Amino acid sequence: MALPDFEAWAIFEAVARRGSFTAAAHELALSKPTISKAISRLEQALGTVLFHRTSRKISLSTAGQSLLHHARQIARDGEAAMEAARDTTHLLKGQVRLAAPLSYGLSHLAPVIADFMCAFPEITVDLQLDDARVDLIEQGFDCAIRIAALPDSSLRAIRLRDVDGYFIAAPSYLKRMGQPAAPADLIDHDCFIYSNTPNPEFWQITGPDGQSTSVRPRCRFQSNNGDVMLPALIAGRGIGYLPDFLCRKALEAGQLVNILPGWRMGDITLNIIMPPSRLRPARVDALINHLKHNLR
C-alpha cells in the first residue's frame, strides 16, 4: 500500500484557497511547475480531476469540493505537528479564522480581538460574524464561538460559561397588556421570535422545578438576530426571550422586566469549538487561550 502524498494534499489545499497555481507557488515558495506536477500526481493517484482549468482561471471540480475539507485537515495537522516539535514562540504569526454570532461578536468579542491583535502583532485575524451555524471543516475555520446547547459531535469544545436567558417586556407593555403569570399566557400576547432555531414557532419552556411545556406564541415580530429586537421591546411593543449579554443592561436600568423568573428555554452555554484534531498551529492556540481568559 502506497503512503499518502501529504505534500500534494497540502499543495492542493493552498491552490484551492488561493484560487491559482501562481499564488499558491508564491505562498509556498515553490515553482509553478512543482505545483502543477503535485496536483497532477494527486489527481492520478485519486483517479479523478480536482480542478477545471481554462486559460484564464481554475475552479474546483465536484470531486475537488468534496475532498477539500480533508486537504484542509491534513495541512492544518501537518503544520501543527511541525510546530509541536520545536520552539513555537517565533511561529506566532499568520492568519487565524474565527466565526462568531453577530450580536455577541459586536458587543463582547470585538474588544477582546483588539487586545489580542495588540498582544500578537504578527497574527492576523479573519473574523466572520453570522448567526447561522458554520461548518468549521468545510468552511476552513480554525475555531468558532457558539452560544447554544451543543449536540454530540466530533468537534472539540471548551465550555466557557452558562448563559442565562430571560422572558422580558417593558413596563409600559405590561401596564397596557398585563403580565403573564405562566408560559401558557404567552399565547395571548405579542411575542418577538428569534427565527434562527430549528422550530422557531414553538417555544419549549422549562420551569424552576424542571417541568417542561410547549407554547406556540403569537408572533408580532420575527428576526434571525436578537439585538435588533431590543429597541422595539424597550418601546413596549411585545415580549421577547433574549440571552443575558443582550438584555442585562436594559434590565438593570429598568427599561425591561424579567416577567417569568425561573422559566427558561433550554440550557445555553458559551463555547469555543474547534475541529476534532488535538494538533493546532501555535497561533490558533494563542487565540483560544486569549478567548478563554477574557470571555469567561
Side-chain angles (χ1 to χ4, degrees), residues 247-256:
C247 64
R248 179 165 287 154
K249 288 184 178 179
L251 285 169
E252 292 173 349
Q255 296 172 303
L256 294 171

Side-chain angles (χ1 to χ4, degrees), residues 37-259:
K37 288 178 182 177
I39 297 300
S40 296
R41 193 169 68 240
L42 186 58
E43 288 178 330
Q44 185 175 4
L46 295 171
T48 189
V49 173
L50 297 174
F51 293 102
H52 298 303
R53 304 165 176 84
T54 67
S55 58
R56 294 185 177 182
K57 67 177 183 177
I58 64 169
S59 60
L60 280 168
S61 67
T62 301
Q65 292 173 350
S66 67
L67 292 169
L68 182 56
H69 73 280
H70 293 293
R72 285 173 175 154
Q73 191 64 54
I74 289 169
R76 185 183 289 114
D77 286 351
E79 180 183 11
M82 292 292 290
E83 292 184 6
R86 61 193 183 209
D87 176 25
T88 60
T89 303
H90 67 289
L91 296 172
L92 292 173
K93 59 184 178 182
Q95 187 184 78
V96 180
R97 298 197 70 224
L98 170 67
L102 177 59
S103 295
Y104 187 81
L106 293 173
S107 62
H108 287 68
L109 194 56
V112 172
I113 294 298
D115 290 342
F116 176 78
M117 293 172 67
C118 291
F120 299 94
E122 293 192 78
I123 298 178
T124 61
V125 178
D126 178 2
L127 173 61
Q128 298 294 316
L129 300 180
D130 194 329
D131 287 339
R133 182 168 295 187
V134 300
D135 186 319
L136 267 66
I137 305 299
E138 188 69 27
Q139 295 175 251
F141 286 102
D142 295 297
C143 54
I145 299 295
R146 189 159 291 172
I147 304 171
L150 294 183
D152 292 335
S153 76
S154 62
L155 297 174
R156 298 179 63 78
I158 299 172
R159 179 170 171 163
L160 298 179
R161 73 171 180 90
D162 293 331
V163 176
D164 293 324
Y166 302 99
F167 289 97
I168 50 177
S172 60
Y173 176 87
L174 299 176
K175 183 178 180 179
R176 186 176 72 254
M177 301 296 294
Q179 180 164 336
D185 298 337
L186 294 172
I187 63 174
D188 297 321
H189 285 267
D190 295 331
C191 294
F192 286 29
I193 295 177
Y194 178 65
S195 61
N196 195 24
T197 63
N199 296 297
E201 67 273 17
F202 289 98
W203 284 358
Q204 196 68 31
I205 304 173
T206 302
D209 58 358
Q211 80 267 29
S212 183
T213 183
S214 181
V215 175
R216 185 166 190 164
R218 186 174 70 198
C219 179
R220 176 74 193 278
F221 179 66
Q222 181 170 297
S223 176
N224 64 350
N225 178 267
D227 212 21
V228 77
M229 299 180 185
L230 269 178
L233 287 171
I234 292 172
R237 296 299 95 197
I239 293 173
Y241 184 85
L242 292 179
D244 54 24
F245 61 85
L246 285 182
C247 64
R248 179 165 287 154
K249 288 184 178 179
L251 285 169
E252 292 173 349
Q255 296 172 303
L256 294 171
V257 177
N258 180 12
I259 60 172

